[in-house]
Each structure stands twice: as structure tokens, then as C-alpha cells.
Amino acid sequence: MRPGKSVETPTPLVGREELFAELTAALAEPPGIVVLTGPAGAGRSAVVGELARRPLPGGRPVLTGRCGGGGRGFPLGAVVDALAPAAELLLGAALPPVTGALHGLLPELSGQLPPPPPSAELHLVFRGLTALLAELRPVLVIEDLHAADPLTVRLLRHLAARPPATTRLVLTSRRSPAAELTLAGILAEARCPVTELPVEPLTPAQLALLPGHSGAPLAEVLRRTAGLPGLATALLAGPPAALPDSLPPAARRELLGRFSELTATAQQLVRAAAVLDSPVTAATLAAVAGLTPAESAAALPLATEAGLLADHPDGTVAPSHPLARAAAAELTAPEHRRRLHLRAARRLRTGPDRAPLAELARHHRLAASPLWPQYAEAAADEAARAGRGAEAVELLDAAARAATGGRRARLALKLSRAALTGRPGPGTVPFLHEVLAEQPAPTALRGELRLNTGMLLRNQAGAGAAGREEIAEAIPDLTGRPELAARAMSALAIPSVSGWPFRRHLQWLDRSQELATAIGDADTRIAVQANRVSTLMFIADPAAWTAVQELPAEAASPAARLHLTRANANLAHACVVLGHPHAAARFLARVDELLAEGADSPYYRGLAHTARLLLDWTGGRWEDLDARAAAAAADYADLPDLAAEATLLRGLHALAAGRTGTARQYLTQAQHTVRQDTGMVTAAAAGALARLELAAGRPSRAWAHTRPALDALRRIEAWVWASELVPAAVQSLAALGDLPAARALTAEFTAGLADRDAPGALAALATCRALLPTSPEHGTEHGTEPEPGTDPGTDLWTEAEHAWAAADRPYEQARARLARGRRSLTTGQDAAPDLLAALDRFTALGATWDTTLIRTLLRDHGITPPTRGGRRPYGDTLSPREREIAELAATGLRNAEIAERLVLSHRTVEHHVANAMRKLSVPSRAALAPALTAEG
């Protein structure tokens, strides 16, 4: 291989089999010419290279040569390279005398060529080459025709006009106007069939066939590589499901090879394009590169032909894909890069390519210009006015950290404002604390900065107690600013599990309302309104609905739009918890409208996202819920409360599906993750864990799960949030035989719901009453069944079922129907209608745990359920339950330990372990682990 040639990364012939079949079909009958054209890196070499690896009909040889790039190739170099290895193919051949003209061109064949003629004129050389090809009968492949020297082009025109009857000619070329003219001149002389085959970048479907694609985000691969197979293969060569942030070595070699072919001016254009963030006109690119228009016009075709720059239909130019940008940036010295960024900042300030302030700030920053903080601040102000909080946070964070003195404090304040609706990084709050501590600031500035820092701690960071303390500490510094003081007090009014009793939160709400009349700023008034309506809804105060009507129907400013988005997201969350699903759906629809209108807040968007997931759970819309919750938990890993809600849903879903071990893991994780809980996670996780223990016949453990959560809700008087918790606690106490405590808890629950608008909690209260005997002489079942109520009547369970239906909780409604059927079994009444109705509802939901329980009850009592297709036949494949148990057995757990963990009988575990060993063909439990790994 000669120096200076680009090397296309060898790639598997993936997604090209059809193209290769067309190529081989076109070569079936000589003579003929096949032309493959495509952008740089599209894989032309991979396609024609396969000709040498797959035997051709008749055993015809494939001879390949590559044209030199950038004018550095010697005359006829590609043809010489192709024919040099032909000596072995000519052993014993009697070559025509005219081939003697090739002695000077092909010294490797001098021992086999006839004597040279008196003079080796060019026409004799061409005739000699034609005769030699006729003897070899090859497929002659000439690659990179776009870089061919003039003499090679003349030879190809000669061969096209006088094709040897036994020769097939394959030409490959990048696409460019110059290359098209060269090809047109050759093909115009053709006296044989011509087949043109375009080689296009890979489609997403073809990318999915590449090695290493499994789990990788193919849309991102397509974006970063433009579908070029060599680059895509290099990008996918790392760990599964991960794409490298840096330039992969194979991609680096290919792109740097193309870059090395360019002239110095073309290289400068590529470097300039790499520092620009968006497509620009050719004039702007030339100015940033420091070239004259004429120099740029001559160099631009070379860079586009090399596949490093791309011409867009609107006349603008940009790097052809992000990897090309990365390669060019890597080849630009830091000082040179700073000069390019400074030129870009100056050029993009005006003119047809005028850039947004944020882009100008970026260029000034990367140019180490002293003006960049000013541009960053101006760009952040523009973003904040437009409601683009995330963009403002990024700009202000960098600018504030670089500033000093009073400017640092002022920028920190702006950063804290933007961060309230954006998604600040983990270092934002520590930096704000640093600014608060490092120098005295004006009282008003310090008060607002502390207020915002407190709200960030409470919301995004999930540090509720610390956030409340920070907000309370800010209030004395806000004496002269009643609008901010009212906002601080209304923020302290919003309750949480880690907060104060509801009555204290209401005291802060009252104080904020006393200052509300002094608020002149419309945006701040809406902020206080948003806090007020959120507080009233979270505590289920009937006055919340009036407060909702008082919210403005339209937003008069971007700030007001964000406050309304926050209010509606909070209202949706509260309504899901309280049991107002239709209202929750309306509030979420309003959030969607506000986001569509430009309320750009990643945090509020996430708040609405998890509220929608919770609403789907309570409403029984469970299709793909676990996958959606898993994605949300990953997306919001830096937002503890949102991650906790998503993880809770995964636990609840796993429990309903009968994956009890997984359920325990997720429910416990949610409890440990949540920080600023406003009603769902603490109660629901504890209640579900208690249900799991009750099903295993361990009421003392169930009570141990519910007691801390009860104490937390009791301390803050948050009985309206206890719909998932109190029934499990009452059931635990009843199963323990402590009926007085169960009755006392039910009475306390009743008192806590007085004058509260919480349908979900009221349905839970109906369940608690149904769980208790109506008189002391009635006993209580202490068995392992989930609903051990013993009242001989069914009216209370009917009330509970209707109450859950009113709250649109189909799962809880079905559980009440099941309990009524179980009660009928104990009293000798006909339980079949209730049990079968509950079975239908659980089956529709996908609640495998509950359907299994009902089918067991039906079988034990001689009731035959209707056939519904039967259990899925797994054959010799492990069922999900068998795999779960086998994986636990592979860790060394004994059957009894597995039974306890999964709430199963010892016999069931023994049966599943035996089945798994049989299906995996292993002789012992010790052999399970490698067999499971091999099975995947």
C-alpha cells in the first residue's frame, strides 16, 4: 500500500448481499463494465473485496488496484498494482509479441514477456495491456477512480472502447461532479454492457444487522456515522448497549486517512467546519477558515468528495457527520482552535449566518475571550425569557463559576432562578451554598438566593428537611420584598412525609395569603397561587377545587407558563394519590398543552411523566408499564423522588405478576430512594411489602413493615395518603389477634379523613371496616390468605368494592370482590359468582399472583373455572417462574430459603428446581449457574 492512501475499514458484507448479488450477476458474461459509486466510507471496497473472497464461476482471477489520491499517484499506478501479482497466472503462457511493450511498466513479468519492441510508444503499451488482460481473463477492479491520474483514465477509455472479450472491468468511485465527468468520458466510449450500482449508506434496518448492535441506540449510531458501515462498525465495537464518547480507533484511522489526502486549504476548511455548531454558507466557512473565496471554492469540492464535509440542499456546508467533526477537531492544535472560534464569534455576530447568543457565547468561551461571560449572561437571559430553563442553567453555571465578586453573586442568583425549572447538575446546589458563604451580599439578593437554593434542595435534590430550613432562613432577608416572602411562605406550605403536621403547613399558607395582596408582579402572584392550590389539593381540602378555578386560564409570560405547568403537574400527582383519576388526567392534559406552548422544564416534564405512570397503574392500564417505569427510573436517576416513584411502580407490578422476589427488591429500593414524598411511595411500598408477608403467613413481619410508615403519616396527620397502607396494617393487627388495636387504627383513620375529599382513602376505610368483625364474638382468620375478613355479611365488602370503583381502582375493586367471595366460602354461601368475577378482572389486568390464588381456591372448593386457553406451554424452555427459582438455587440458596423469599411452599420450589434441572440437562444444583448462562 503506498503512503497517503485512505484505508476503508474492513467491514462484514452486512446489508449488502443483494447489492453483491447484482454485482456478480452483472459479471456473469464478459465483456462488461460495472460501476459502483457512493459517498466516502459507504463500503464500496467491502463489496468489491468480496469478489476476491468468494470463488467466481470458472475460477476467474480478481485483480485489484487502487488509484492514488490528491494527485500523488504515479501514472497507471492502479493498473500496475493490479497486474504485478499476475506472474503466477501466466506460467507457461505464450504471450503475444505486443505484450513485450510492457517490460518497463511491469518488470515483475520480464521473465515471461516476449522481447520488447524497438520503441514502447503509448499506443503499444495500451495494446500490450489489452492483450495481457485477454490472456489473464480476469475481473479487473480499479478502485477510487475519482483519484485516477490522467493516463489511467485514458487507458480505461481505451479498454471501454476495445474491451477484451474475456475481461470484466469493475470501477469504483466517490461521488463528485469531477468524478462524474471522468466516468462519463469512460462510459461514453463503452462498446460493452455497462451496469451502474449505487452504494448507499446503511439504513436503520441494515445497521441492526451489524455485529455489536444488540442494545445499542441505532438512531444515535445513524446520527453519528450517517450510516457509513465502517464507522458504524467501529462505533459498535465497544461494550454492548454502550457507545463510546471518544473517537473509536478504527474510525479515527479511516477518517484521518481521508483527511491526509486533502490539500492544506481543504484541511483548513474541514477544521473550520468542525468548530461551527451548525451549517453555514460557504462564504462564512471561508471567512472562519481564513481563506479567500477563490481558495475556498477550489478546496471545498475536495473536502466534500472525501466525505468530511457535506453540501446541504439550502447551500450550506457542515461536517458530514459527528465523527468527522470529532476527527477534524482532534487534528487541530488548541491555539489554532481558539483562533477559529474567535473568527467564528466575530463572523456569526451579523450577516446571513447570524447565530443565537448561546452559540456566540460558546465560541467566545472556547476562544478564551474575555467577552464570553457577557455573552453567556445575555444568552441565558434570552433563554430564561423564552422559558428554556435547561439552556439557561448550562450557560449561567459556567459563567457564574468563572466570575468574581459582586458579578459572581449576581450570576449565581440568575442561575438559581433558572435551575428551579431546569435540571441542574449535582454541583449546582453546592456552588450556590459556596456563593452564600464566601462573601457578604446585599440582603435582598442573599434572601432570594437562599430561597431558590432551598427550593432546589427540596424538589430536585429531594432534601426536604434541609430545603425547608434554607427557605425559612431566607424569610428574614425578604422583609422588604413581600412578593418573595409570600412565595417562600407558600413554598413552606407544601406538605411532605418528611415535613411538619398539616396544620403547620397551613399556618405558612395563611401567612403567605396575608402578603398576597401586596404582590405587584403578576408572575409571582401565579407562583404563590400555584403553591396554594398544590397545598390544598395535597391535603385533600375541598377548597382546592375553588382554588383550581382561580388559576389563570392562559399564561401571559413564559414564567407564568412554567408556574402553571408546575401547578398542574402537582395537581395531577395529588389527584392520583387521592383517587380523583379523571381530574388527574385533565391536569396532565393541561401540562401537555403548556409544554407544547413552550414551557421548557425537564423537571416539570419528569414530574408529569411519573404522574402519568402512576395514573396508568391505579387505572389498570398495565401494558408495557414495567418497561416504561424502568426507563423512567433510569432517566431520572439524578432526581430521587421521580426515580423512587418509577421504582415503586416496578415493585407493585412485579408483585401483581407474582414475581415476589423482584417485587421485594424494588419496593425496598423505592423506600430507600424517596426523599420529598408527597403521599405515594412511603405508604404504597410499605403496604405492598406487608401484603407480601401476610400472604406468607407472617403477620408480625407485615406489621413491622407498616408501623414505621404509619408513624410517619400519623406525625404529619396525612391520613389522606394512607389508602395503600392502613388496610394492610389493620389486616396485620387482625391476623395477630389484636382486634382492639385494629379497631383503634380504623377509628383513627376515620377521624383523619373527616371533611377530606379523598375517594381513594375513603375506599381504603371501607376495606378496613370490612376486614373487622362486626362484634367481639366473631373470630378472625389467621391463615395465609390475603383477605382474612370474617364478618358473615357481605354488605361491607360490597361497599368497599363500590368505593374502589368510584375511585377508578380496578385492581383494588377486584381484590374486594375476591374478599367477598372468600367470605362466602367461610359461611357456606355460593362463592362462585364473586370468585369468577374477580378472576376475570385479575386476568384482564395481568395480575398473575391473584389469578393463581383464585384458581387454587376454586380447585380446593370443587369449583371449575371456565377454560380460557390454559397456561402457556413452555415445553423444554424454562418458564419465568422456573428461571427465577433456578437462578436463586444457582446462588446456593436452599429450597426452604427460596420458598421464604418468594412466598411459596417448599414443595412448589422443589418441583420447579427439579423441572429446571431436567430442562437444562444438568446433574446437580451446582451445574445450574453455567447452564443458565449458556441458555441466556
Side-chain angles (χ1 to χ4, degrees), residues 75-107:
L76 296 178
V79 179
V80 170
D81 282 354
L83 295 177
E88 296 180 7
L89 304 174
L90 295 170
L91 292 175
L95 298 176
V98 72
T99 59
L102 304 179
H103 274 279
L105 190 66
L106 296 170

Side-chain angles (χ1 to χ4, degrees), residues 412-427:
L413 175 60
K414 286 189 172 185
L415 170 62
S416 71
R417 291 170 178 166
L420 290 174
T421 57
R423 193 165 176 175

Side-chain angles (χ1 to χ4, degrees), residues 111-124:
Q112 295 161 281
L113 295 172
S119 64
E121 297 180 11
L122 186 60
H123 75 93
L124 291 176

Side-chain angles (χ1 to χ4, degrees), residues 262-274:
L262 299 177
T263 63
T265 50
Q267 291 179 357
Q268 184 66 351
L269 280 180
V270 175
R271 288 188 172 103

Side-chain angles (χ1 to χ4, degrees), residues 298-648:
L300 187 56
L302 300 177
T304 55
E305 182 182 300
L308 297 173
L309 293 184
D311 278 320
H312 292 172
D314 62 358
T316 59
V317 183
S320 53
H321 45 75
L323 291 187
R325 183 191 300 274
E330 188 176 308
L331 290 169
T332 307
E335 183 56 38
H336 188 183
R337 194 157 49 240
R338 284 191 287 271
R339 288 198 301 271
L340 290 173
H341 277 294
L342 190 57
R343 285 185 197 149
R346 291 169 176 168
R347 173 74 185 191
L348 297 176
R349 196 169 47 197
T350 58
D353 287 319
R354 183 174 182 177
L357 286 170
E359 189 172 343
L360 296 178
R362 183 183 75 88
H363 285 303
H364 277 289
R365 181 185 180 192
L366 294 174
S369 163
L371 297 176
W372 86 260
Q374 299 175 33
Y375 275 96
E377 183 177 4
D381 289 344
E382 181 179 80
R385 286 193 298 269
R388 301 193 303 272
E391 181 182 331
V393 168
E394 183 178 356
L395 289 161
L396 288 167
D397 190 276
R401 291 176 190 274
T404 58
R407 180 180 181 82
R408 180 177 170 91
R410 186 170 57 78
L411 289 176
L413 175 60
K414 286 189 172 185
L415 170 62
S416 71
R417 291 170 178 166
L420 290 174
T421 57
R423 193 165 176 175
T428 300
V429 170
F431 171 69
L432 296 177
H433 274 138
E434 179 184 319
V435 173
L436 282 167
E438 69 188 7
Q439 61 184 4
T443 299
L445 187 152
R446 185 177 64 244
E448 184 179 357
L449 180 57
R450 196 176 297 281
L451 165 62
N452 295 343
T453 303
M455 288 195 283
L456 287 172
L457 280 168
R458 189 194 62 182
N459 295 335
Q460 284 91 325
R468 285 190 300 276
E469 290 176 7
E470 199 79 60
I471 295 170
E473 192 174 343
I475 291 176
D477 287 338
L478 298 173
T479 304
R481 301 183 68 182
E483 71 284 356
L484 287 182
R487 186 173 178 184
M489 293 172 185
S490 66
L492 290 174
I494 298 177
S496 75
V497 171
S498 63
W500 304 302
F502 279 4
R503 60 180 179 277
R504 185 173 175 189
H505 285 287
L506 287 173
Q507 290 170 357
W508 282 113
L509 187 63
D510 291 340
R511 290 184 61 183
S512 72
Q513 295 308 297
E514 292 172 3
L515 293 175
T517 56
I519 300 175
D521 179 66
D523 291 342
T524 305
R525 280 200 305 273
I526 296 177
V528 173
Q529 276 185 282
N531 288 342
R532 178 173 179 269
V533 73
S534 298
T535 299
L536 294 175
M537 190 64 78
F538 275 125
I539 67 174
D541 190 322
W545 302 107
T546 302
V548 168
Q549 297 301 317
E550 294 171 353
L551 285 173
E554 301 295 335
S557 69
R561 189 178 299 118
L562 287 169
H563 293 315
L564 289 175
T565 304
R566 172 170 58 89
N568 281 277
N570 283 341
L571 290 167
H573 260 281
C575 285
V576 173
V577 173
L578 298 178
H580 296 295
H582 302 299
R586 290 197 302 273
F587 292 131
L588 286 173
R590 182 61 178 136
V591 170
D592 291 341
E593 292 173 358
L594 291 163
L595 291 171
E597 291 170 8
D600 178 24
S601 170
Y603 176 63
Y604 298 160
R605 193 181 296 273
L607 201 62
H609 183 189
T610 55
R612 186 169 278 109
L613 291 175
L614 292 170
L615 183 61
D616 285 346
W617 165 258
T618 59
R621 294 175 291 278
W622 295 359
E623 185 177 0
D624 297 329
L625 185 61
D626 182 64
R628 289 184 284 137
D635 289 345
Y636 307 130
D638 58 333
L639 299 171
D641 292 326
L642 301 188
E645 289 180 342
T647 304
L648 166 71

